[in-house]
Amino acid sequence: MFKKLFGFLFGGSKKTAPASGGASGSLQDLESFVDYVVKSLVDNPDAVELSTVETSEGATIKIRCSKEDIGKIVGKRGKTIMAIRSLVSGAAGRQRKRVSVDVMD
């Protein structure tokens, strides 16, 4: 999983993704990356739910968790969620996609 994300961020392979099927695989990889990171941060990983909504502008990965764990995902002054968003945005940008990450109440 981390090898794929590292490849997305730093151009590990020079191959271009096929027009069909390549985008959904990379979106699934990004979603699994967010799932892994978020579940590693929280106290109750079984309560974490991720959903992805695709629109014409791009995709949004929505995170739902218990209220006690929201602060762990957001971090002090929002630094943790900003780091997650930055990694996801950078990896998606390499694929010419727009993906955002939101924490839901």
Side-chain angles (χ1 to χ4, degrees), residues 30-76:
L30 291 174
E31 186 175 350
S32 64
F33 169 74
V34 172
D35 185 51
Y36 175 79
V37 170
V38 169
K39 285 184 177 180
S40 297
L41 290 172
V42 299
D43 289 332
N44 190 6
D46 295 332
V48 174
E49 297 177 12
L50 267 77
S51 61
T52 304
V53 177
E54 293 188 62
T55 62
S56 60
E57 293 87 31
T60 303
I61 299 172
K62 296 184 179 186
I63 304 168
R64 289 195 183 274
C65 64
S66 61
K67 295 212 181 269
E68 298 83 28
D69 289 332
I70 290 176
K72 292 180 177 79
I73 296 171
V74 173
K76 189 178 270 188

